[in-house]
Amino acid sequence: MDLSQFNFPFDQTLVAKHPVHPRDHARLLVLTRSTGDITDRQVKDLPTILRPGDLLVVNNTKVIPARLWAKK
């Protein structure tokens, strides 16, 4: 694996520091498989988006303020 593939410019202001309030206003990226369209929605929109048979993947991991120092 070439680690340089993970070096890319991005806007630091877009990195979430705290959960959004209210929580259902969190951003949600939606892929419509039949068309390939990708839309930016909110969690509160889920009831109108999901259909029977859809797959919902939930990431419930927590982010902790930690740093791992290493030497190559």
Side-chain angles (χ1 to χ4, degrees):
M1 177 184 299
D2 182 6
L3 295 181
S4 67
Q5 294 177 341
F6 296 102
N7 294 329
F8 54 90
F10 66 95
D11 186 350
Q12 285 283 341
T13 63
L14 297 177
V15 177
K17 304 287 191 266
H18 305 283
V20 68
H21 294 285
R23 292 296 298 232
D24 67 348
H25 282 69
R27 294 174 68 187
L28 180 69
L29 191 62
V30 178
L31 167 66
T32 305
R33 292 181 71 185
S34 59
T35 63
D37 290 342
I38 298 175
T39 54
D40 192 17
R41 304 283 295 269
Q42 292 181 319
V43 171
K44 67 180 181 171
D45 299 329
L46 276 174
T48 62
I49 296 169
L50 293 176
R51 303 279 181 252
D54 285 351
L55 173 66
L56 176 65
V57 178
V58 178
N59 178 354
N60 65 353
T61 59
K62 297 187 186 302
V63 177
I64 60 171
R67 182 176 293 172
L68 177 64
W69 296 99
K71 199 181 264 191
K72 183 175 178 182

